Amino acid sequence: ADLANPRASAGNVLSVARRMHSVAQRVPLDGHQLSLRAGMHTGTVVSGIIGKTKLAFDVWGDAVNVASRMESTGIPGATQVTADTYALLRDQEQFVERGLVDVKG
């Protein structure tokens, strides 16, 4: 992510989510139509490689946890964003307001 340009970073992430939705709609898997939910939040994270023999890359932080909650309370086929992400992208993207969503935590 580009800390100097969070708006561009958020726009890039939203673009990836839209492409994932598009592919899921166009390409069935074993004859089944897929539908994805995605969630986005804006904030800082920490990343690193964990493990000694089997290495894995992971990302941690409140932004990750909030994005996960956006995904789990989202609508299939859509990307749910937080108010912080909306504030960054509202002038360059179209959003549909869902109203208040009960989110754990």
Side-chain angles (χ1 to χ4, degrees), residues 2 10 12 25 29 42 48 53 55 63 73 83 90 102:
D2 184 355
N12 289 338
Q25 288 175 343
L29 180 64
T42 300
T53 56
L55 302 177
T73 59
R90 67 178 167 217
D102 189 25

Side-chain angles (χ1 to χ4, degrees), residues 10-77:
N12 289 338
V13 171
L14 186 57
S15 177
V16 168
R18 285 188 173 145
R19 288 179 183 153
M20 289 179 358
H21 292 301
S22 176
V23 169
Q25 288 175 343
R26 288 191 332 260
V27 182
L29 180 64
D30 294 331
H32 300 323
Q33 185 66 45
L34 299 179
S35 183
L36 305 175
R37 292 184 312 223
M40 278 185 65
H41 180 55
T42 300
T44 58
V45 298
V46 175
S47 65
I49 298 174
I50 57 175
K52 290 185 178 183
T53 56
K54 182 179 178 188
L55 302 177
F57 178 79
D58 204 356
V59 182
W60 306 272
D62 287 339
V64 175
N65 298 334
V66 173
S68 175
R69 287 188 172 87
M70 290 296 99
E71 178 274 326
S72 65
T73 59
I75 298 170

